[in-house]
Amino acid sequence: MWDFSIGKTIGILARTMPFILTRMVIYFVITLAFILATGAGAGIGYGVGSISESPESYAVWGGFIGMGFVGAAVYWAREWLLYMVKAAHIAVIVKLIDGEALPEDKGQVAYGREIVTARFGEANVLFALDQLIKGVIGAITGLIGGVAAFLPIPGLDALARFANTVIRLSLTYVDEIILGYNIRTNSDNAWESSRRGLVLYAQNGLKMVKNAVWLSIFLWILSIVVFLLALAPAAAILYAFPGEIAGYSFIVAIVFAWAFKAAVLEPFAITALMAVYFDTIRGQVPDPEWDAKLAGASAKFRALTEQATTAFGGRPVTA
């Protein structure tokens, strides 16, 4: 079974309601933008195609172009979302996991941003660090070995490959956990503390993966439920737009489910995994053997190590 407490995790998230509401507003505005861009693109396409024999096909392509435009905007805004919202939320969650009281003279969002700004400075520094951490995740998966090592039975190769795929998908939140460790240690070298955090994660990989898989299953089940509930309203909204665009309803429902997952479900998973991680590594130090394994398996980890030795004048990490 899993090692996290569902009740405790919900309790921590409830105390960060300003962040939950902020995330909901952001991601549901993105969903609304997808709907409006799809409708506007379909309308323009239908108008342009009215001179042809099949304006409906133009409406479909217009809808796709509208969705693509919003998708590109969201992609370019990801750095801002990471810095201003996700990282600040993680900073507050870390304080609550450790039982620290939040200041009463300022809002949570402002407090979280203050911690992140003091820790990382500019958004591009945090974004670059996040990309390096993400690059190490695949190496950790390979070094752990996945479930194939536990299923040496002929004929179960396909099952093992499927299970390993689930494991890879479940490691989505490793970078957020390491970010939380980085904030928690409050060291003067963010690159070095991130490197240490990754080594600690890898040496406890089996336990972390077990909990991540459970959470991944929970999140996907809930996301599918949200998708099914959103399907009918999405079809009703798109029915008002011109052309044969109602078929986009399943795409809009997917976007809605994604927004709910990003706004509500992902913070739950991050909080639960972070609590397990902090509890697991208590009293541990990075294992040099795992440090060497990661260095040999991941160019991103070697780049992170190089940054750790050159950043801030090469100062050693201190809490």
Side-chain angles (χ1 to χ4, degrees), residues 133-145 168 171 174 294 297-298:
I133 294 171
K134 278 185 168 69
V136 183
I137 295 173
I140 293 177
T141 308
L143 290 172
I144 292 172
R168 285 193 295 272
L171 295 177
V174 174
L294 286 173
S298 173

Side-chain angles (χ1 to χ4, degrees), residues 162-220:
F162 172 76
N164 285 336
T165 300
V166 173
I167 289 175
R168 285 193 295 272
L169 292 174
S170 71
L171 295 177
T172 304
Y173 309 115
V174 174
D175 54 322
E176 282 90 348
I177 295 171
I178 302 304
L179 173 60
Y181 173 82
N182 209 322
I183 292 171
R184 191 190 197 209
T185 58
N186 196 31
S187 70
D188 59 3
N189 188 331
W191 306 92
E192 173 63 15
S193 58
S194 296
R195 191 188 68 81
R196 291 164 61 92
L198 283 166
V199 176
L200 287 167
Y201 190 98
Q203 68 192 50
N204 295 283
L206 289 178
K207 182 176 182 178
M208 295 306 303
V209 164
K210 178 190 71 173
N211 286 276
V213 168
W214 275 113
L215 282 164
S216 182
I217 292 171
F218 293 159
L219 264 60
W220 279 108

Side-chain angles (χ1 to χ4, degrees), residues 38 42 59-64 67 234 238 244-253:
T38 301
V60 171
W61 282 107
F64 274 122
M67 291 184 67
L238 292 181
E244 297 179 358
I245 195 175
Y248 281 105
S249 58
F250 77 98
I251 299 179
V252 173

Side-chain angles (χ1 to χ4, degrees), residues 90 137-138 142 150 217 243 257 262 277:
I90 289 173
I137 295 173
F150 305 101
I217 292 171
Y277 177 71

